[in-house]
Each structure stands twice: as C-alpha cells, then as structure tokens.
C-alpha cells in the first residue's frame, strides 16, 4: 500500500481516475488534493516532508543511525513524543537544548528526542527526569525566530533506550538501539487491518467522493509492516505522553 512518500504517484492515479469520470484536474490541482487528504496544509509542505525522509534514508544505514559509543545531544520534549519515521517541527528555547542542536548541526546532525516526565521541569538532567525510551532523530533544518527561539525540523530514525547521561555544556546520552520485531503473522495482519478500520472511524475519514480505485487509506502505511503502522497511528491519538 502507498504512503505519503508515494504522493506524486497518488496524484497521477487520482488525476487519471477522475479523468475517466470526465472530471478534469491539472497536475498541481491533483497534488494539492492529495496533500490535503494526507493531512498536510499544501503540496509544498508535503514535498518538504518527502525530501526530508529521502535525505535521512540516503545518509543513514538503518542499523547504525548513530556513531557507536558516542554521546549524542539530547532534546527533551515537554509535550510531544517523537516516533520513528515521524517528521516534526519543534521549538527550542532552553539554552542547553539550543547548544545540543547546534552541536549536532556541526557534526553528524543526530539528536536524541525524548519526552521528559514533568512538564514544569526546566532542567531535566537525570535519568529519573526523562522517559527511558526515545528516538534518534536527524536534524533536517533549523530557523531562528524573532523571539530568539529555534524552530527545528527533525526526522525520527530509530527507537533507542537511554543508558546513561552526561550533563555538560549540553545534555547528552549514551544510547542502545531497540530492535524492532520483524516478520508478519496472521494475528499481526488481522490486528493491523482492525487498526486501520478503527482509525478511519476515529478520524471520520471519508473517501466516498473518490472513485473506487482511489479509496485507499492514503494517510497510513501498509498493514504489511505492523510496527510502522503502529508508529504512524500512535502520534495521531488523543492519549497522554506516558501512554505514547
């Protein structure tokens, strides 16, 4: 099944299907419609997300997304959990976190994005202050805002466990990769299909206006990869930080 990275092919399929129904769409119009279906503001934002994913895939081997044995700068998050393959824009205001981002940009562009346990904690610097599982992410870009805060785009690469912390100029961590379970079973396929169906109901997705051949669940990955499906659906749910 296609996901957002196949957006151009989706737009072409949609345009051809509508043309068969005597409905004429230009290439740009079909791209804009696909972007909206996938939950993006417009085609430019979707194209940027695709590019970020391609950049991270091209530069990182999936089994070694970070330098072995290195301390990696930490970006603690108050109100968000980053998942593998997820692209997000985050705002960085704390000085030590700014230093962590700048250090990453001057090197391998990798950071550990992890949720902190207490929202009011301005200096989460101990293992007890952070959740033990986070995600290695690539810093795709950063912009300095008028108020001095950094707006940073990150792309989740691999789920990791935090082994130890180093609190210096910026907070850093030694991490261990968490290997995802592979393979596909009948139970996993059935559960994945149930998740897709439940999500369509939960999000009130309506594809009735599209031709039958175009009613695929554009915004979610294939049930052939249960782990990727779970990581895609989980950020969309109205659940707490600890549950995510």
């Amino acid at each position: 099944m296609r996901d957002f990275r196949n957006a151009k092919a989706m737009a072409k399929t949609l345009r051809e299907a509508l043309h068969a129904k005597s409905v004429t769409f230009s290439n740009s119009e079909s791209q804009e419609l696909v972007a909206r279906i996938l939950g993006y503001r417009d085609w430019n934002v979707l194209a940027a997300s695709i590019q970020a994913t391609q950049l991270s895939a091209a530069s990182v081997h999936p089994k070694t997304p970070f330098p072995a044995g290195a301390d990696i700068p930490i970006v603690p998050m108050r109100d968000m959990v980053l998942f593998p393959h997820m692209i997000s824009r985050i705002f960085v205001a704390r000085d030590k976190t700014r230093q962590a981002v700048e250090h990453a940009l001057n090197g391998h562009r990798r950071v550990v994005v992890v949720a902190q346990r207490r929202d009011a904690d301005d200096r989460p610097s101990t293992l007890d202050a952070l959740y033990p599982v986070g995600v290695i992410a690539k810093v795709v870009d950063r912009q300095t805002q008028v108020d001095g805060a950094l707006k940073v785009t990150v792309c989740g690469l691999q789920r990791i466990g935090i082994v130890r912390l180093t609190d210096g100029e910026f907070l850093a961590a030694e991490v261990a990769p968490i290997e995802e379970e592979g393979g596909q079973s009948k139970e996993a396929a059935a559960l994945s299909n149930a998740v897709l169906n439940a999500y369509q109901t939960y999000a009130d997705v309506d594809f009735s206006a599209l031709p039958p051949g175009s009613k695929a669940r554009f915004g979610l990955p294939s049930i052939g990869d249960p782990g990727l499906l779970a990581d895609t659906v989980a950020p969309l749910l109205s659940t707490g930080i600890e549950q995510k």
Side-chain angles (χ1 to χ4, degrees):
M1 184 178 291
R2 293 170 173 172
D3 65 16
F4 78 97
R5 288 163 291 189
N6 307 116
K8 286 187 177 180
M10 293 181 195
K12 180 180 179 182
T13 299
L14 176 60
R15 189 170 66 253
E16 292 174 348
L18 291 174
H19 182 71
K21 299 290 185 178
S22 300
V23 178
T24 302
F25 264 33
S26 68
N27 182 56
S28 60
E29 287 174 333
S30 60
Q31 288 179 342
E32 291 295 333
L33 179 57
V34 167
R36 292 294 183 88
I37 291 172
L38 291 173
Y40 292 83
R41 186 181 71 239
D42 55 39
W43 177 259
N44 289 335
V45 176
L46 173 55
S49 295
I50 295 171
Q51 183 181 26
T53 302
Q54 291 171 339
L55 286 172
S56 65
S59 61
V60 181
H61 189 283
K63 294 298 182 183
T64 55
F66 51 90
D71 282 343
I72 305 175
I74 287 182
V75 175
M77 299 301 302
R78 298 179 191 270
D79 56 1
M80 187 196 80
V81 176
L82 189 74
F83 287 81
H85 309 287
M86 178 178 167
I87 298 172
S88 180
R89 291 177 179 85
I90 60 178
F91 289 89
V92 176
R94 290 179 280 198
D95 288 340
K96 295 191 75 165
T97 308
R98 290 171 62 96
Q99 292 293 332
V101 171
E102 295 297 343
H103 181 82
L105 287 169
N106 290 329
H108 47 64
R109 302 180 76 93
R110 304 292 187 270
V111 293
V112 174
V113 180
V114 60
Q116 61 185 69
R117 293 184 182 274
R118 294 173 290 277
D119 181 73
D121 190 352
D122 286 330
R123 294 176 60 85
S125 57
T126 65
L127 290 174
D128 289 339
L130 303 171
Y131 284 97
V133 174
V135 168
I136 289 289
K138 178 175 181 179
V139 179
V140 178
D141 64 37
R142 63 101 159 82
Q143 300 174 357
T144 302
Q145 305 298 289
V146 176
D147 61 0
L150 294 181
K151 182 171 72 171
V152 182
T153 302
V154 293
C155 177
L157 300 175
Q158 183 176 355
R159 188 174 285 106
I160 54 85
I162 296 177
V163 177
R164 66 173 179 83
L165 299 178
T166 301
D167 189 10
E169 184 180 359
F170 53 84
L171 190 64
E174 178 186 343
V175 302
I178 296 176
E179 299 297 335
E180 305 293 341
E181 293 185 12
Q184 173 69 294
S185 65
K186 290 183 178 179
E187 181 183 11
L191 287 171
S192 297
N193 191 59
V195 167
L196 285 170
N197 290 332
Y199 178 74
Q200 281 195 291
T201 301
Y202 168 83
D204 194 22
V205 179
D206 181 14
F207 293 104
S208 62
L210 299 178
S214 301
K215 291 182 181 179
R217 301 173 177 90
F218 289 110
L220 296 171
S222 169
I223 61 174
D225 190 337
L228 179 56
L229 174 62
D231 286 341
T232 304
V233 173
L236 306 176
L237 302 179
S238 300
T239 59
I241 297 295
E242 184 173 0
Q243 289 175 299
K244 288 183 178 180

